[in-house]
Amino acid sequence: MIIDGKQIAKQLRVNIAKQVTKLDRKPGLAVILVGDDPASTVYVRNKDNACKEVGFYSEKINKPANITQAELLSEVERLNNDNKIDGILVQLPLPSHLDANQVTEAISPNKDVDGFHSENIGKLMQNKAFLRPCTPKGVMTMLATTDIDLVGKDCVVVGASNIVGRPMAMELLNAGATVTICNSKTQNLSDKIKQADVVVVAIGKPKMIQGDWIKQGATVIDVGINRLNDGSLSGDVDFDSAQDKAVWITPVPGGVGPMTIATLLENTLTAYKAREEK
Ligand code: NDP
């Protein structure tokens, strides 16, 4: 069975939009784009459009590629103190002369809707999560729409980046699963995947995970987004062979991708509510 991320994300946006109509003040999201990288420009535009669709207040801030670290930090600080803004996102990657980690840490943890600030990552590690990284949280929302009970399940996360693999593993652990995290140095990767009830793959290697590595009846979540030479998109899993083994599987496109922006909106609403309660 296919886990339809497009549909689940749409439902999430409808639920958020309904909640927004009942609020006195609109939740506000500010997205900073440095430079004019084409992929980042599209992502930022999509985020801005998604905000408008659910009735959020949205600020799209374009800064030139030669902005200094101090100027960028001062922009973040301005937004930290702006009462209309509940969530701040700095689109990554940044030009190489800028220190992305310092910028992430400069965002107030209460407005860190990407969930990348060390305080929010620390809370996730302690199973006291507040704002959670969007892609892994979106995967958990997708899993919750299935009949799978994660408690006691063997989960294998392939990929250990700070934005996907590591927080993904923590999410699954927090849900009561037993988790193995794999990286590029992992030995006998296929044997590990063959043991898994749930496999989440985020490596950026088109169709690397083969169907005969998947245990019969497993759930397969493919986070990878890879542009092939013919212009089409592919995940990290060989979908055609894996779907014969999996009971639940996500497609690419139309799987995890749409969940990330919907979850960003969800996080902005969470940040809004937390600020309003103070
Ligand atoms: P990174 O490049 O930051 O991390 C890749 C991870 O995969 C690393 O931990 C790396 O290991 C590991 N890896 C690489 N090759 C192998 C291999 N052969 N076997 C096992 N592990 C391997 O990527 P991201 O986490 O940022 O993104 C991963 C994929 O997910 C990309 O395709 C990206 O486009 C996609 N993505 C999709 C999103 C969505 O919304 N759907 C959001 C974010 C990303 P090591 O640590 O040893 O280097």
Side-chain angles (χ1 to χ4, degrees):
M1 287 175 283
I2 305 284
I3 310 181
D4 185 347
K6 221 169 157 183
Q7 187 55 37
I8 301 165
K10 188 176 168 195
Q11 193 55 53
L12 197 54
R13 291 198 301 272
V14 168
N15 289 345
I16 293 168
K18 261 191 208 153
Q19 293 184 58
V20 171
T21 57
K22 296 183 193 136
L23 302 174
D24 297 332
R25 177 177 73 79
K26 288 179 177 184
L29 175 68
V31 181
I32 303 178
L33 172 65
V34 179
D36 55 4
D37 173 71
S40 295
T41 305
V42 172
Y43 289 138
V44 168
R45 191 169 59 226
N46 290 346
K47 286 167 187 173
D48 191 47
N49 288 341
C51 280
K52 292 194 174 108
E53 184 192 328
V54 298
F56 282 4
Y57 169 74
S58 159
E59 265 184 46
K60 200 167 58 154
I61 300 160
N62 288 349
K63 292 290 177 190
N66 64 357
I67 190 172
T68 65
Q69 182 79 6
E71 285 166 340
L72 185 54
L73 290 175
S74 132
E75 186 63 19
V76 168
E77 193 51 25
R78 180 185 73 75
L79 294 165
N80 280 341
N81 296 312
D82 184 338
N83 275 331
K84 296 191 296 305
I85 298 300
D86 302 283
I88 304 168
L89 184 154
V90 179
Q91 185 64 44
L92 301 177
L94 291 173
S96 56
H97 68 282
L98 297 170
D99 178 347
N101 190 47
Q102 194 186 30
V103 174
T104 301
E105 293 297 307
I107 296 172
S108 161
N110 297 326
K111 297 190 177 186
D112 166 41
V113 283
D114 252 342
F116 295 161
H117 192 288
S118 54
E119 187 174 314
N120 283 316
I121 291 290
K123 285 182 177 167
L124 178 68
M125 292 282 293
Q126 293 174 329
N127 201 6
K128 294 176 190 157
F130 170 44
L131 295 170
R132 297 148 60 188
C134 296
T135 302
K137 186 183 177 197
V139 169
M140 296 310 283
T141 305
M142 295 176 98
L143 288 171
T145 67
T146 70
D147 55 357
I148 304 158
D149 178 6
L150 289 168
V151 176
K153 291 287 187 305
D154 285 321
C155 298
V156 169
V157 178
V158 191
S161 70
N162 286 333
I163 64 168
V164 189
R166 285 164 195 257
M168 185 73 249
M170 270 314 126
E171 290 281 1
L172 292 165
L173 185 67
N174 291 344
T178 302
V179 186
T180 303
I181 313 174
C182 304
N183 60 23
S184 64
K185 318 286 185 314
T186 297
Q187 294 180 15
N188 306 320
L189 181 64
S190 60
D191 289 346
K192 293 188 171 56
I193 292 175
K194 279 176 189 166
Q195 307 294 320
D197 301 307
V198 178
V199 187
V200 183
V201 189
I203 53 180
K205 301 270 152 73
K207 301 187 186 187
M208 195 187 117
I209 308 301
Q210 298 297 309
D212 58 5
W213 300 6
I214 305 293
K215 182 164 103 174
Q216 189 70 43
T219 293
V220 178
I221 306 287
D222 190 352
V223 181
I225 302 178
N226 308 287
R227 179 78 60 189
L228 302 182
N229 288 338
D230 65 3
S232 63
L233 287 183
S234 157
D236 292 337
V237 175
D238 181 45
F239 183 88
D240 291 339
S241 59
Q243 69 170 339
D244 295 337
K245 298 294 232 16
V247 63
W248 290 104
I249 187 164
T250 62
V252 179
V256 178
M259 294 301 296
T260 299
I261 293 186
T263 306
L264 173 70
L265 301 173
E266 197 181 28
N267 276 354
T268 305
L269 190 58
T270 300
Y272 169 96
K273 287 178 182 168
R275 285 186 66 224
E276 288 294 308
E277 277 166 19
K278 273 190 180 163

